[in-house]
């Protein structure tokens, strides 16, 4: 059988993971990335047990775990610093087989890129056209035109692949709030637990990275495109500088030029993740808000599932892609909705609603919180036995 070829558009986490999964199955892969290099200027990233199982299927779980820090415990606090919910991550590991791992996005991307042949990575390759005709898919880029067996659109929220082949798809929708992300300088005494603090229309969270650094994130309900009057660091100090410890202490050790700000969007449901011999994955298929920490986790699941489906029907690409769509679309769209609902709850600003939210969170036992996450975290790679101790089906 001739070697099959795949062109992956987008060199982020999902695109590289898909390339790895196919390369290890004997496919010839090329990854087209419009940026001049395969890197990530972002901040931290949380990898939940389902993502680590996907990395396990790629043979990279141990490599990635060595780059991150396992969060020992965490939870949600109110505006006065009182705990609303707390989670012991040892229990998370017991239930789902893996811990919650936090690392820098750049470290994860580097580990994925290093798992591929250097000649399969093609930076500075912005795609100018994608089409799928009777002779197969075509991708045009500065290096020429590729005509592979399969095209994978992993090019993010504003996907060029989705725009070309899903022209009637709805535009990404603004979630109603903006977000800041940052990494602190190393602290001599970093907080022992991560936490998200909920205020009124604002949130601030933090979790540990290796080396005493902390990954911090914040949100505020604002019209899309709002620009700060001062620097983003000054804006954070204005909004959160008087919040409960350790938030002011963390902001004091954030380099002023290290603050990233992005308005948050998600993607309305697509009728299919597949068109002809083109498949979408990651944010190109199901961009979601970060409230569940599942964006990259779901992209990794996509990559592993797509490769498995292609394995299961090696002589029938259409059947394989149909199986991928059936497996991934309902799950990821449900998680997108769930993440949006959690974000809406976290951004509540009306005082009576905030009081009701905080009271309900305080009354919910920790075991119920973990149990409610089983459909998300209990995912198992296709063909592998589940290690989840709960009875719910992912």
């Amino acid at each position: 059988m001739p070697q099959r070829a795949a062109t992956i558009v987008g060199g982020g986490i999902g695109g590289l993971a898909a390339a790895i999964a196919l390369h290890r199955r004997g496919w010839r892969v090329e990854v087209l990335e419009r940026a001049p290099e395969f890197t990530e200027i972002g901040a931290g990233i949380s990898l939940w047990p389902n993502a680590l199982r996907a990395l396990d299927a790629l043979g990279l779980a141990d490599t990635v775990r060595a780059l991150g820090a396992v969060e020992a415990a965490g939870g949600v606090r109110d505006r006065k610093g009182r705990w609303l919910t707390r989670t012991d991550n040892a229990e998370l590991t017991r239930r789902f087989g893996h811990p919650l791992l936090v690392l820098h996005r750049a470290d994860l991307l580097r580990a994925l890129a290093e798992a591929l042949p250097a000649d399969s990575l093609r930076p500075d390759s912005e795609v100018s056209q994608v089409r799928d005709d009777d002779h197969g898919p075509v991708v045009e880029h500065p290096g020429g035109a590729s005509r592979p067996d399969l095209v994978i659109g992993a090019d993010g929220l504003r996907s060029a692949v989705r725009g070309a082949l899903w022209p009637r798809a709805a535009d990404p929708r603004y979630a109603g709030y903006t977000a800041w992300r940052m990494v602190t300088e190393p602290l001599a005494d970093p907080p022992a637990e991560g936490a998200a603090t909920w205020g009124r229309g604002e949130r601030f969270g933090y979790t540990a990275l290796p080396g005493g650094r902390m990954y911090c994130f914040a949100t505020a309900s604002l019209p899309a495109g709002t620009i700060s009057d001062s620097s983003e660091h000054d804006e954070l100090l204005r909004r959160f500088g008087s919040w409960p410890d350790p938030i002011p202490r963390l902001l004091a050790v954030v380099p002023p030029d290290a603050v990233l700000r992005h308005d948050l969007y998600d993607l309305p449901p697509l009728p299919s993740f597949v068109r002809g011999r083109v498949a979408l994955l990651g944010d190109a298929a199901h961009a979601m808000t970060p409230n569940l920490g599942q964006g990259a986790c779901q992209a990794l699941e996509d990559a592993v599932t797509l490769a498995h489906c292609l394995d299961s029907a090696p002589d029938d690409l259409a059947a394989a892609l149909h199986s991928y769509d059936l497996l991934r679309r309902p799950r990821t769209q449900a998680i997108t909705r769930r993440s949006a609902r959690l974000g809406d709850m976290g951004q509540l600003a009306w005082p009576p609603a905030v009081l009701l939210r905080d009271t309900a969170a305080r009354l919910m036992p920790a075991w119920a919180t973990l149990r409610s996450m089983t459909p998300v975290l209990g995912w198992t790679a296709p063909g592998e036995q589940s290690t989840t101790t709960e009875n719910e089906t992912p």
Side-chain angles (χ1 to χ4, degrees):
M1 182 177 181
Q3 186 181 30
R4 294 178 292 179
T7 294
I8 295 98
V9 181
I13 292 168
L16 291 175
I20 293 166
L22 295 183
H23 170 68
R24 294 189 172 181
R25 287 165 167 81
W27 284 66
R28 186 175 73 255
V29 298
E30 63 173 358
V31 184
L32 306 178
E33 168 56 45
R34 67 179 181 178
E37 56 184 331
F38 286 80
T39 188
E40 173 63 68
I41 61 171
I45 186 170
S46 298
L47 296 179
W48 291 84
N50 53 316
L52 290 172
R53 277 195 290 278
L55 288 166
D56 234 342
L58 296 174
L60 291 173
D62 290 342
T63 298
V64 172
R65 283 190 64 160
L67 300 172
V70 173
E71 186 174 89
V76 176
R77 306 188 307 167
D78 67 14
R79 177 63 177 78
K80 295 182 179 180
R82 299 171 298 192
W83 288 102
L84 300 176
T85 66
R86 301 181 82 173
T87 302
D88 178 357
N89 284 341
E91 179 64 12
L92 187 79
T93 303
R94 187 190 72 79
R95 287 173 181 253
F96 301 111
H98 288 281
L100 170 60
L101 186 76
V102 185
L103 69 161
H104 201 288
R105 295 182 72 96
D107 292 336
L108 175 58
L109 208 70
R110 188 180 308 111
L112 294 172
E114 289 176 352
L116 287 165
D119 61 2
S120 69
L121 302 176
R122 301 191 178 176
D124 259 335
S125 297
E126 183 168 5
V127 169
S128 57
Q129 186 177 8
V130 183
R131 63 183 186 274
D132 191 23
D133 56 32
D134 293 340
H135 303 289
V138 179
V139 180
E140 296 184 7
H141 51 86
S146 303
R147 190 179 278 278
D149 300 287
L150 171 67
V151 171
I152 298 173
D155 49 340
L157 176 71
R158 308 289 179 182
S159 169
V161 177
R162 188 182 70 241
L165 296 179
W166 281 257
R168 296 183 181 179
D171 291 335
R173 55 195 174 194
Y174 182 50
Y177 45 99
T178 194
W180 294 267
R181 296 176 294 150
M182 67 222 84
V183 174
T184 71
E185 298 287 1
L187 286 85
D189 56 340
E193 298 177 291
T197 301
W198 287 355
R200 296 178 182 175
E202 295 176 325
R203 289 175 285 166
F204 193 100
Y206 54 88
T207 188
L209 288 168
R213 299 176 302 163
M214 301 294 293
Y215 166 48
C216 303
F217 52 91
T219 63
S221 296
L222 293 168
T226 301
I227 299 174
S228 299
D229 293 333
S230 56
S231 73
E232 298 302 340
H233 189 267
D234 287 345
E235 179 73 4
L236 288 170
L237 289 173
R238 183 182 71 80
R239 288 181 176 275
F240 302 103
S242 62
W243 280 40
D245 187 70
I247 294 172
R249 180 160 56 95
L250 296 176
L251 287 174
V253 290
V254 171
D257 61 351
V259 179
L260 302 173
R261 177 176 174 178
H262 297 92
D263 288 345
L264 296 180
Y265 292 80
D266 65 11
L267 193 65
L270 293 175
S272 175
F273 290 173
V274 171
R275 180 150 297 181
R277 282 171 278 186
V278 179
L280 300 176
L281 62 74
D283 283 355
H286 48 72
M288 60 186 69
T289 56
N291 301 294
L292 289 173
Q294 281 292 312
C297 302
Q298 292 305 306
L300 290 167
E301 286 187 20
D302 289 345
V304 169
T305 303
L306 177 58
H308 171 80
C309 292
L310 292 167
D311 263 358
S312 299
D315 300 321
D316 191 340
L317 186 60
L321 295 180
H322 180 64
S323 295
Y324 165 72
D325 183 56
L326 290 179
L327 286 170
R328 296 305 302 161
R329 186 161 45 87
R331 172 171 170 78
T332 54
Q333 291 177 349
I335 292 173
T336 299
R337 292 191 298 271
R338 181 169 179 167
S339 185
R341 289 196 300 268
L342 182 60
D344 291 342
M345 183 185 302
Q347 294 300 126
L348 287 173
W350 186 45
V354 170
L355 177 61
L356 182 62
R357 174 198 69 190
D358 291 356
T359 301
R362 187 178 291 110
L363 293 175
M364 179 175 286
W367 64 263
T369 301
L370 278 177
R371 188 178 181 88
S372 73
M373 288 296 290
T374 297
V376 177
L377 305 184
W379 176 85
T380 301
E384 295 188 2
Q385 185 175 358
S386 174
T387 57
T388 303
T389 62
E390 299 287 350
N391 293 324
E392 291 95 337
T393 302

